[in-house]
Amino acid sequence: MPNEDDATPSHRSSKKPIYTEFSQQELPAWKPILTPGWVIATLFAVGVLFIPIGLATMFSSESVEEVVIQYDESCLPNSNANDAMAYIQSNTTNKTCVTKWTVEHRMEAPVYIYYQLDNYYQNHRRYVKSRNDKQLWSKGEDGETINCYPEDMIKEKQPIVPCGLIAWSIFNDTYKFVSKNKNLTVNRKDIAWGSDRRFRFGSEVYPKNFQSRDLIGGGHLNESLPLRQQEDLIVWMRTAALPTFRKLYGKIEVDLEAKDEIEIVIENNYNTYMFGGTKKVVLSTATLTGGRNPFVGTAYLFIGSISLFFTIAFILLYVIKPRPLGDPSYLSWNKNPGGFIK
């Protein structure tokens, strides 16, 4: 006869879960019965709510003033039209170009300046992983270069700070705006997410050995400023999810009046010719819902319209061909009492 001690281990190793109302799914729950009245009322409420929101969002989006100027081709000299790579990689060629733009409608401050890149896959898996967050945050972790190869160290085996392909390929075109023979001040402060500045980039981490190898990917960094203060880098290192994206360059904090002629001086430094990409500068105002984005309003209108359509359809169906709620004669096994045997 087994003693009591022998039963104890098997009892402890039992896989039977501890009984609780949560594990047995016996917590109080709301189990709505989808009667025709509830379904029709819900669809009607969604339609009545979503359509005004969609109209307001579309109106807000349409009130945004936006201009998009593509300059990668226009800033390419005729002499280099057939050899863009030689032009962009040359250290002696003057890459300054000037384009003029006339303001069509008044743009109230702040006017946001973005650069837009097309056919640029920042979401490539190897590219996204090519960084080290410990190094970006802590002064004592500058030797942490895991995931950063091939931009991890220089020939002398000294670490690159910040390391990785994302930082190495930082965008370095510059824009200057002139109106009525006066330079428009471009504010490049507070263009990055506050959470990125506070929690991802250290105030005591300074660039070191950056862009010091033979192959230069993009812009240089100011070695006298900590990474937390280099907001163009912070903006660039928040990688985009799609191959066409915009990133904030700065803000013009004065109004631009209609028919003002703006001279845009561009330093065309960034190499998008290698992979067939395009470069654009975007000037845009903003509303409470952000910049121009007609998709959100269209989506609200579509869902609201579909809901109202089904509301009317279900009302007609309920009026023309009603059926009692919970009628068991509509169950599949009641339609053929003898089963599937004919």
Side-chain angles (χ1 to χ4, degrees), residues 19 55 87 96 119 123 139 175 212 261 269 305:
Y19 177 85
L55 292 173
Y87 161 76
T96 303
N119 197 35
N123 59 353
K139 179 181 179 181
Y175 312 112
S212 60
E261 189 173 82
N269 300 314
S305 301

Coordinates of all heavy atoms in Angstrom, one line a residue, residues 19 55 87 96 119 123 139 175 212 261 269 305:
Y19 N -7.6 26.5 -10.1 CA -9.0 26.9 -10.4 C -9.1 28.4 -10.0 O -8.9 28.8 -8.9 CB -10.1 26.1 -9.7 CG -11.4 26.7 -10.0 CD1 -12.1 26.2 -11.1 CD2 -12.1 27.6 -9.2 CE1 -13.4 26.7 -11.4 CE2 -13.3 28.1 -9.4 CZ -14.0 27.7 -10.6 OH -15.2 28.1 -10.9
L55 N -15.8 64.7 -43.4 CA -15.9 65.9 -44.1 C -15.1 67.0 -43.4 O -14.4 67.8 -44.1 CB -17.4 66.4 -44.1 CG -18.4 65.6 -44.9 CD1 -19.8 66.0 -44.7 CD2 -18.0 65.7 -46.4
Y87 N 29.5 63.7 -61.2 CA 29.2 65.0 -60.6 C 29.0 65.0 -59.1 O 29.6 65.8 -58.3 CB 28.0 65.6 -61.3 CG 27.3 66.7 -60.5 CD1 27.8 68.0 -60.5 CD2 26.1 66.4 -59.8 CE1 27.1 69.0 -59.8 CE2 25.5 67.4 -59.1 CZ 26.0 68.7 -59.1 OH 25.3 69.7 -58.4
T96 N 26.1 74.0 -55.9 CA 25.1 75.0 -55.5 C 24.2 75.2 -56.7 O 24.7 75.5 -57.8 CB 25.7 76.3 -55.0 OG1 26.5 76.0 -53.9 CG2 24.6 77.2 -54.6
N119 N 12.1 56.1 -53.6 CA 12.8 54.9 -53.9 C 14.0 54.7 -53.0 O 15.1 54.2 -53.4 CB 13.3 54.9 -55.4 CG 13.7 53.5 -55.9 OD1 13.1 52.5 -55.6 ND2 14.8 53.5 -56.7
N123 N 13.6 50.8 -44.7 CA 13.1 49.7 -44.0 C 13.8 48.4 -44.3 O 13.3 47.3 -43.9 CB 11.6 49.6 -44.3 CG 11.3 49.4 -45.8 OD1 12.2 49.4 -46.6 ND2 10.0 49.1 -46.1
K139 N 28.1 57.5 -22.7 CA 29.5 57.8 -23.0 C 30.4 56.7 -22.8 O 31.4 56.5 -23.6 CB 29.9 59.0 -22.1 CG 31.3 59.5 -22.3 CD 31.6 60.7 -21.4 CE 33.1 61.1 -21.6 NZ 33.4 62.2 -20.6
Y175 N 19.3 73.8 -47.6 CA 18.4 74.8 -48.3 C 18.6 76.1 -47.6 O 18.6 76.3 -46.4 CB 17.0 74.3 -48.2 CG 16.8 72.9 -48.5 CD1 16.4 71.9 -47.6 CD2 16.9 72.4 -49.9 CE1 16.2 70.6 -47.9 CE2 16.7 71.1 -50.2 CZ 16.4 70.2 -49.2 OH 16.2 68.9 -49.6
S212 N 35.3 59.3 -41.5 CA 36.8 59.5 -41.7 C 37.4 58.4 -42.5 O 38.6 58.3 -42.7 CB 37.5 59.5 -40.3 OG 37.2 58.3 -39.6
E261 N 8.1 86.2 -54.4 CA 9.1 85.4 -55.1 C 10.2 84.9 -54.1 O 10.9 85.7 -53.6 CB 9.7 86.1 -56.3 CG 10.5 85.2 -57.2 CD 11.0 85.9 -58.5 OE1 12.0 86.6 -58.4 OE2 10.3 85.8 -59.5
N269 N 24.1 67.8 -52.5 CA 25.2 67.0 -52.1 C 24.9 65.5 -52.0 O 25.7 64.6 -52.2 CB 25.7 67.4 -50.7 CG 26.2 68.8 -50.7 OD1 27.0 69.2 -51.6 ND2 25.8 69.6 -49.7
S305 N -20.3 56.0 -45.1 CA -21.2 55.7 -46.2 C -21.7 54.3 -46.3 O -22.8 53.9 -46.4 CB -20.6 56.2 -47.5 OG -20.3 57.5 -47.5

